[in-house]
Amino acid sequence: MFDLSFSNAATPKSMESKNPKNLKTDSISTILDSLNIPPNAQICGIDEAGRGCVAGSMFVCGVILDKLPSSLKNSLKDSKTLSQKRRDAIADTLKDYAEFKLVKKEAHVIDTQGLSVCIKESLQEILSAFNAPFYVFDGNCNFSIPHLKTLIKGDSKLHAISAASILAKNAKDTEMQNLAQLFPQYDFAKNKGYGTKAHIQAITTHGLSPVHRRSYRIKSLDSATLF
């Protein structure tokens, strides 16, 4: 059972150790140098969406950006800083220019295999799908995968990771909008599967749906009748 304090799950980005060097203000060349990546080297940026959700799938995306219009590159930001409308528009355009691999892990798979295993498998699938010289995953854990580099807050520092963040979040949002049609009582279109106060109240009222992650322990719903 996963406790959403994440003591038994992969460390959430919001709780990752702080990087003593504020790379946000550094140049791309400085960031690449810190990762021992040569300038102009091809990079596969990787990010995920939905790791901390209590419902729906987790999506992990790897992206290579080789021929990207400067106007589109300048639009790339951490997906969390973009409105859904803007994020979806950028995602649609990215699909025309980027080489990407999207891996989906459904709730029942996360319950069966565990979150960390699912993340590691997704990362390995992405690495096997490309032949890039460098792979950089947003965060500070490479899940013991050789040749996989990590970068804290990478989605705000490297374009390839920003693009991966946008595509993964777009996939997650789309899934939750679709699930909202099947399970309207949970308001998935609004909460996107995260454990908001209203979402938890809906679970209290209606119980768990087939797409909820039953291995996740929500402290305010610590009841044997729900989990």
Side-chain angles (χ1 to χ4, degrees), residues 160-179:
I161 300 180
S162 298
S165 172
I166 290 170
L167 290 175
K169 188 68 169 68
N170 170 256
K172 178 62 180 176
D173 288 350
T174 300
E175 177 195 51
M176 298 315 295
Q177 288 169 338
N178 292 334
L179 290 176

Side-chain angles (χ1 to χ4, degrees), residues 1-136:
M1 177 177 289
F2 287 116
D3 187 326
L4 287 194
S5 65
F6 286 86
S7 58
N8 295 320
T11 305
K13 295 175 187 176
S14 60
M15 297 176 63
E16 288 170 348
S17 60
K18 300 297 182 180
N19 190 336
K21 188 175 184 180
N22 183 10
L23 291 178
K24 269 193 172 183
T25 59
D26 288 338
S27 66
I28 295 295
S29 61
T30 302
I31 295 171
L32 294 178
D33 185 62
S34 72
L35 295 169
N36 294 317
I37 298 177
N40 302 316
Q42 185 184 67
I43 298 172
C44 176
I46 308 173
D47 203 1
E48 56 77 24
R51 171 165 58 175
C53 292
V54 299
S57 306
M58 175 183 66
F59 293 85
V60 184
C61 188
V63 173
I64 294 177
L65 302 175
D66 281 336
K67 298 179 180 179
L68 199 66
S70 58
S71 59
L72 179 57
K73 182 178 290 187
N74 293 335
S75 300
L76 295 179
K77 299 178 181 178
D78 173 6
S79 66
K80 296 182 291 297
T81 68
L82 299 168
S83 67
Q84 182 173 346
K85 182 177 180 180
R86 181 62 175 155
R87 184 169 56 242
D88 291 347
I90 294 174
D92 287 342
T93 306
L94 273 173
K95 292 172 185 177
D96 293 331
Y97 290 97
E99 184 180 358
F100 68 96
K101 172 70 175 179
L102 190 66
V103 181
K104 176 181 179 179
K105 294 291 185 179
E106 295 182 346
H108 70 91
V109 177
I110 294 173
D111 286 340
T112 302
Q113 297 184 349
L115 183 63
S116 294
V117 170
C118 286
I119 295 175
K120 184 172 184 177
E121 285 185 353
S122 299
L123 292 169
Q124 291 172 324
E125 187 172 342
I126 288 170
L127 265 66
S128 66
F130 296 112
N131 190 30
F134 299 99
Y135 299 85
V136 185

